[in-house]
Amino acid sequence: MLSPVMHILRQKQIILASGSPRRKELVENIGLKVRLYPSLFEENLDPKSFSCFSEFVEETALQKVLEVDNRQRAEGNSPDVIIGADTMVTLDGEMYGKPRSEEEAFEMLSRLSGRGHTVYTGVAIKTVDQVIKFSEKTDVYFGKMNEEQIRGYIATGEPMDKAGGYGIQGAAGTFVERVDGDYFTVVGLPIYRVCSVLYDLFRQNK
Amino acid sequence: MLSPVMHILRQKQIILASGSPRRKELVENIGLKVRLYPSLFEENLDPKSFSCFSEFVEETALQKVLEVDNRQRAEGNSPDVIIGADTMVTLDGEMYGKPRSEEEAFEMLSRLSGRGHTVYTGVAIKTVDQVIKFSEKTDVYFGKMNEEQIRGYIATGEPMDKAGGYGIQGAAGTFVERVDGDYFTVVGLPIYRVCSVLYDLFRQNK
């Protein structure tokens, strides 16, 4: 989608306000060169002060971008584009964070087994003169997992640092019967929407 | 999903009856070691002799597996598992093969723009004593693409050797607004179903 503006984007300094190697891989797969610059924003927003999950992830993504922007300026840098994102797993109106123990991971995964849940990713994109934020959600349907399979997955160590206790791009991908939405929203960056926004931003500048 | 049977699968000689590096990558991502052994089966089945797309891709996948199995036996090998797959893009009841020219690629992609189409992947899995075949379908929704974007994508050379004129795991992934089904059915191997079948096959042998 970006090929008509790629010659412009390739000359831009693009920063990903994230420490996630899989987000970096996603952005590089679409042909962009980016620098990872993990945000130090303490993810401490109170979910109760937001009317919906979308607003919460968008605001967290925005705060990550603004924090990185501030530090960049303090260092005398002025990146052309800063992209930030925040991903959240939800089920029955509840947010699922990172499990604090293997037992909690087991409980989370057991609840996800054999049914659908919803993953939200909020994105903020800051250029020199504007900030755009949006979010996407994708429904994910897990097949039935038996106890042995869940314990086996937990033993890989993968669930412990992941919201909802799983990473779709890892071994947990084999539990996913189908998704409805942008698959990459679940990986951590809704690629279609990110590219649409970048295309519109830089087409205007041609 | 496979962790309870992984110690068994790791000792098996698994062959992928395919020349597709992305199919190999998918299988390796779930932790299996496989050898690529491209089938020489001439993909010449007559679609008209099948009552539906599912049957067609399943039969093509099966023929690929049987051809590889024959050659393996002739060479004195007896692999434990042979996996074959065939993927097809369909729109309005029509099968889309590989475009024969850039103009045809342009026409295909223009038709896919701004709407949904359906991708089928048939799979055959042969073990020493049984053959299982099945297929999965996934709906893929492309966002609106303008002429400049389609021409830009064709210029990458990607569409020419791909059914339907695109590969979701490449730059065309940025055109995909959402999918409904197993994302990996579109990449070329429905991972959830493949793992379910392998799990059931080797759980029995434990």
Side-chain angles (χ1 to χ4, degrees), chain A residues 133-150:
Chain A
K133 58 178 188 170
F134 59 86
S135 56
E136 289 284 326
K137 63 172 185 168
T138 292
D139 293 326
V140 180
Y141 298 85
F142 272 42
K144 276 260 178 224
M145 310 182 260
N146 61 33
E147 176 165 351
E148 196 184 20
Q149 291 175 323
I150 297 178

PDB file of all heavy atoms in Angstrom, chain A residues 133-150:
ATOM      1  N   LYS A 133      -4.341   9.462  16.707  1.00  0.00           N
ATOM      2  CA  LYS A 133      -4.462   8.222  17.476  1.00  0.00           C
ATOM      3  C   LYS A 133      -5.720   7.459  17.071  1.00  0.00           C
ATOM      4  O   LYS A 133      -6.702   8.054  16.625  1.00  0.00           O
ATOM      5  CB  LYS A 133      -4.381   8.465  18.992  1.00  0.00           C
ATOM      6  CG  LYS A 133      -5.404   9.405  19.554  1.00  0.00           C
ATOM      7  CD  LYS A 133      -5.252   9.524  21.087  1.00  0.00           C
ATOM      8  CE  LYS A 133      -6.434  10.334  21.637  1.00  0.00           C
ATOM      9  NZ  LYS A 133      -6.541  10.332  23.084  1.00  0.00           N
ATOM     10  N   PHE A 134      -5.645   6.177  17.174  1.00  0.00           N
ATOM     11  CA  PHE A 134      -6.775   5.325  16.799  1.00  0.00           C
ATOM     12  C   PHE A 134      -6.586   3.975  17.469  1.00  0.00           C
ATOM     13  O   PHE A 134      -5.533   3.707  18.064  1.00  0.00           O
ATOM     14  CB  PHE A 134      -6.866   5.158  15.275  1.00  0.00           C
ATOM     15  CG  PHE A 134      -5.633   4.561  14.657  1.00  0.00           C
ATOM     16  CD1 PHE A 134      -5.466   3.179  14.596  1.00  0.00           C
ATOM     17  CD2 PHE A 134      -4.635   5.372  14.143  1.00  0.00           C
ATOM     18  CE1 PHE A 134      -4.336   2.624  14.034  1.00  0.00           C
ATOM     19  CE2 PHE A 134      -3.487   4.818  13.578  1.00  0.00           C
ATOM     20  CZ  PHE A 134      -3.345   3.452  13.532  1.00  0.00           C
ATOM     21  N   SER A 135      -7.605   3.133  17.367  1.00  0.00           N
ATOM     22  CA  SER A 135      -7.431   1.772  17.877  1.00  0.00           C
ATOM     23  C   SER A 135      -8.188   0.797  16.994  1.00  0.00           C
ATOM     24  O   SER A 135      -9.073   1.186  16.233  1.00  0.00           O
ATOM     25  CB  SER A 135      -7.907   1.674  19.323  1.00  0.00           C
ATOM     26  OG  SER A 135      -9.248   2.092  19.407  1.00  0.00           O
ATOM     27  N   GLU A 136      -7.805  -0.444  17.100  1.00  0.00           N
ATOM     28  CA  GLU A 136      -8.467  -1.511  16.356  1.00  0.00           C
ATOM     29  C   GLU A 136      -8.733  -2.645  17.330  1.00  0.00           C
ATOM     30  O   GLU A 136      -7.990  -2.816  18.303  1.00  0.00           O
ATOM     31  CB  GLU A 136      -7.554  -2.024  15.236  1.00  0.00           C
ATOM     32  CG  GLU A 136      -7.372  -1.064  14.086  1.00  0.00           C
ATOM     33  CD  GLU A 136      -8.589  -1.018  13.160  1.00  0.00           C
ATOM     34  OE1 GLU A 136      -9.250  -2.052  12.979  1.00  0.00           O
ATOM     35  OE2 GLU A 136      -8.887   0.068  12.643  1.00  0.00           O
ATOM     36  N   LYS A 137      -9.772  -3.412  17.050  1.00  0.00           N
ATOM     37  CA  LYS A 137      -9.989  -4.599  17.873  1.00  0.00           C
ATOM     38  C   LYS A 137     -10.194  -5.819  16.988  1.00  0.00           C
ATOM     39  O   LYS A 137     -10.717  -5.713  15.869  1.00  0.00           O
ATOM     40  CB  LYS A 137     -11.176  -4.415  18.813  1.00  0.00           C
ATOM     41  CG  LYS A 137     -12.506  -4.226  18.126  1.00  0.00           C
ATOM     42  CD  LYS A 137     -13.623  -4.257  19.164  1.00  0.00           C
ATOM     43  CE  LYS A 137     -14.970  -4.196  18.443  1.00  0.00           C
ATOM     44  NZ  LYS A 137     -16.093  -4.504  19.331  1.00  0.00           N
ATOM     45  N   THR A 138      -9.746  -6.941  17.469  1.00  0.00           N
ATOM     46  CA  THR A 138      -9.864  -8.195  16.724  1.00  0.00           C
ATOM     47  C   THR A 138     -10.350  -9.284  17.669  1.00  0.00           C
ATOM     48  O   THR A 138      -9.860  -9.399  18.790  1.00  0.00           O
ATOM     49  CB  THR A 138      -8.493  -8.578  16.110  1.00  0.00           C
ATOM     50  OG1 THR A 138      -8.180  -7.626  15.083  1.00  0.00           O
ATOM     51  CG2 THR A 138      -8.504  -9.972  15.500  1.00  0.00           C
ATOM     52  N   ASP A 139     -11.330 -10.041  17.201  1.00  0.00           N
ATOM     53  CA  ASP A 139     -11.807 -11.178  17.997  1.00  0.00           C
ATOM     54  C   ASP A 139     -10.938 -12.394  17.720  1.00  0.00           C
ATOM     55  O   ASP A 139     -10.587 -12.666  16.566  1.00  0.00           O
ATOM     56  CB  ASP A 139     -13.266 -11.494  17.652  1.00  0.00           C
ATOM     57  CG  ASP A 139     -14.197 -10.379  18.080  1.00  0.00           C
ATOM     58  OD1 ASP A 139     -13.920  -9.742  19.112  1.00  0.00           O
ATOM     59  OD2 ASP A 139     -15.190 -10.122  17.374  1.00  0.00           O
ATOM     60  N   VAL A 140     -10.568 -13.085  18.767  1.00  0.00           N
ATOM     61  CA  VAL A 140      -9.704 -14.264  18.658  1.00  0.00           C
ATOM     62  C   VAL A 140     -10.438 -15.456  19.248  1.00  0.00           C
ATOM     63  O   VAL A 140     -10.963 -15.365  20.365  1.00  0.00           O
ATOM     64  CB  VAL A 140      -8.380 -14.039  19.436  1.00  0.00           C
ATOM     65  CG1 VAL A 140      -7.476 -15.266  19.340  1.00  0.00           C
ATOM     66  CG2 VAL A 140      -7.659 -12.803  18.933  1.00  0.00           C
ATOM     67  N   TYR A 141     -10.522 -16.549  18.503  1.00  0.00           N
ATOM     68  CA  TYR A 141     -11.224 -17.751  18.984  1.00  0.00           C
ATOM     69  C   TYR A 141     -10.221 -18.870  19.235  1.00  0.00           C
ATOM     70  O   TYR A 141      -9.566 -19.335  18.300  1.00  0.00           O
ATOM     71  CB  TYR A 141     -12.267 -18.197  17.957  1.00  0.00           C
ATOM     72  CG  TYR A 141     -13.329 -17.148  17.748  1.00  0.00           C
ATOM     73  CD1 TYR A 141     -13.117 -16.103  16.849  1.00  0.00           C
ATOM     74  CD2 TYR A 141     -14.510 -17.165  18.469  1.00  0.00           C
ATOM     75  CE1 TYR A 141     -14.070 -15.110  16.678  1.00  0.00           C
ATOM     76  CE2 TYR A 141     -15.474 -16.163  18.299  1.00  0.00           C
ATOM     77  CZ  TYR A 141     -15.245 -15.147  17.405  1.00  0.00           C
ATOM     78  OH  TYR A 141     -16.175 -14.150  17.243  1.00  0.00           O
ATOM     79  N   PHE A 142     -10.095 -19.241  20.490  1.00  0.00           N
ATOM     80  CA  PHE A 142      -9.229 -20.366  20.853  1.00  0.00           C
ATOM     81  C   PHE A 142     -10.008 -21.669  20.720  1.00  0.00           C
ATOM     82  O   PHE A 142     -11.184 -21.729  21.096  1.00  0.00           O
ATOM     83  CB  PHE A 142      -8.780 -20.238  22.310  1.00  0.00           C
ATOM     84  CG  PHE A 142      -7.524 -19.428  22.501  1.00  0.00           C
ATOM     85  CD1 PHE A 142      -7.319 -18.256  21.799  1.00  0.00           C
ATOM     86  CD2 PHE A 142      -6.542 -19.840  23.393  1.00  0.00           C
ATOM     87  CE1 PHE A 142      -6.166 -17.511  21.983  1.00  0.00           C
ATOM     88  CE2 PHE A 142      -5.387 -19.106  23.590  1.00  0.00           C
ATOM     89  CZ  PHE A 142      -5.194 -17.935  22.883  1.00  0.00           C
ATOM     90  N   GLY A 143      -9.357 -22.695  20.212  1.00  0.00           N
ATOM     91  CA  GLY A 143      -9.945 -24.026  20.267  1.00  0.00           C
ATOM     92  C   GLY A 143      -9.912 -24.532  21.708  1.00  0.00           C
ATOM     93  O   GLY A 143      -9.335 -23.894  22.596  1.00  0.00           O
ATOM     94  N   LYS A 144     -10.539 -25.666  21.940  1.00  0.00           N
ATOM     95  CA  LYS A 144     -10.500 -26.279  23.273  1.00  0.00           C
ATOM     96  C   LYS A 144      -9.076 -26.720  23.580  1.00  0.00           C
ATOM     97  O   LYS A 144      -8.424 -27.354  22.751  1.00  0.00           O
ATOM     98  CB  LYS A 144     -11.410 -27.513  23.292  1.00  0.00           C
ATOM     99  CG  LYS A 144     -12.842 -27.194  23.548  1.00  0.00           C
ATOM    100  CD  LYS A 144     -13.186 -27.469  25.021  1.00  0.00           C
ATOM    101  CE  LYS A 144     -14.642 -27.098  25.307  1.00  0.00           C
ATOM    102  NZ  LYS A 144     -14.779 -26.367  26.577  1.00  0.00           N
ATOM    103  N   MET A 145      -8.585 -26.363  24.751  1.00  0.00           N
ATOM    104  CA  MET A 145      -7.258 -26.809  25.163  1.00  0.00           C
ATOM    105  C   MET A 145      -7.448 -27.695  26.387  1.00  0.00           C
ATOM    106  O   MET A 145      -8.203 -27.331  27.296  1.00  0.00           O
ATOM    107  CB  MET A 145      -6.392 -25.619  25.570  1.00  0.00           C
ATOM    108  CG  MET A 145      -6.378 -24.491  24.561  1.00  0.00           C
ATOM    109  SD  MET A 145      -5.290 -23.134  25.092  1.00  0.00           S
ATOM    110  CE  MET A 145      -6.476 -21.960  25.773  1.00  0.00           C
ATOM    111  N   ASN A 146      -6.777 -28.822  26.429  1.00  0.00           N
ATOM    112  CA  ASN A 146      -6.877 -29.624  27.650  1.00  0.00           C
ATOM    113  C   ASN A 146      -5.780 -29.220  28.640  1.00  0.00           C
ATOM    114  O   ASN A 146      -4.872 -28.447  28.304  1.00  0.00           O
ATOM    115  CB  ASN A 146      -6.854 -31.130  27.333  1.00  0.00           C
ATOM    116  CG  ASN A 146      -5.562 -31.558  26.657  1.00  0.00           C
ATOM    117  OD1 ASN A 146      -4.494 -30.991  26.937  1.00  0.00           O
ATOM    118  ND2 ASN A 146      -5.632 -32.542  25.770  1.00  0.00           N
ATOM    119  N   GLU A 147      -5.886 -29.715  29.841  1.00  0.00           N
ATOM    120  CA  GLU A 147      -4.965 -29.275  30.901  1.00  0.00           C
ATOM    121  C   GLU A 147      -3.513 -29.539  30.515  1.00  0.00           C
ATOM    122  O   GLU A 147      -2.634 -28.693  30.720  1.00  0.00           O
ATOM    123  CB  GLU A 147      -5.301 -29.984  32.228  1.00  0.00           C
ATOM    124  CG  GLU A 147      -4.303 -29.611  33.307  1.00  0.00           C
ATOM    125  CD  GLU A 147      -4.742 -29.974  34.721  1.00  0.00           C
ATOM    126  OE1 GLU A 147      -5.903 -30.368  34.905  1.00  0.00           O
ATOM    127  OE2 GLU A 147      -3.897 -29.836  35.632  1.00  0.00           O
ATOM    128  N   GLU A 148      -3.289 -30.700  29.907  1.00  0.00           N
ATOM    129  CA  GLU A 148      -1.926 -31.068  29.525  1.00  0.00           C
ATOM    130  C   GLU A 148      -1.343 -30.075  28.516  1.00  0.00           C
ATOM    131  O   GLU A 148      -0.169 -29.708  28.570  1.00  0.00           O
ATOM    132  CB  GLU A 148      -1.972 -32.480  28.920  1.00  0.00           C
ATOM    133  CG  GLU A 148      -0.634 -33.156  28.825  1.00  0.00           C
ATOM    134  CD  GLU A 148      -0.740 -34.518  28.129  1.00  0.00           C
ATOM    135  OE1 GLU A 148      -1.726 -34.763  27.402  1.00  0.00           O
ATOM    136  OE2 GLU A 148       0.184 -35.320  28.310  1.00  0.00           O
ATOM    137  N   GLN A 149      -2.188 -29.635  27.596  1.00  0.00           N
ATOM    138  CA  GLN A 149      -1.724 -28.674  26.585  1.00  0.00           C
ATOM    139  C   GLN A 149      -1.435 -27.310  27.199  1.00  0.00           C
ATOM    140  O   GLN A 149      -0.446 -26.661  26.863  1.00  0.00           O
ATOM    141  CB  GLN A 149      -2.775 -28.545  25.473  1.00  0.00           C
ATOM    142  CG  GLN A 149      -2.882 -29.804  24.616  1.00  0.00           C
ATOM    143  CD  GLN A 149      -4.006 -29.729  23.602  1.00  0.00           C
ATOM    144  OE1 GLN A 149      -5.070 -29.175  23.886  1.00  0.00           O
ATOM    145  NE2 GLN A 149      -3.790 -30.298  22.431  1.00  0.00           N
ATOM    146  N   ILE A 150      -2.300 -26.885  28.113  1.00  0.00           N
ATOM    147  CA  ILE A 150      -2.078 -25.589  28.760  1.00  0.00           C
ATOM    148  C   ILE A 150      -0.804 -25.630  29.605  1.00  0.00           C
ATOM    149  O   ILE A 150       0.048 -24.743  29.524  1.00  0.00           O
ATOM    150  CB  ILE A 150      -3.289 -25.184  29.638  1.00  0.00           C
ATOM    151  CG1 ILE A 150      -4.541 -25.011  28.751  1.00  0.00           C
ATOM    152  CG2 ILE A 150      -2.996 -23.903  30.403  1.00  0.00           C
ATOM    153  CD1 ILE A 150      -5.809 -24.670  29.527  1.00  0.00           C
TER     154      ILE A 150
END
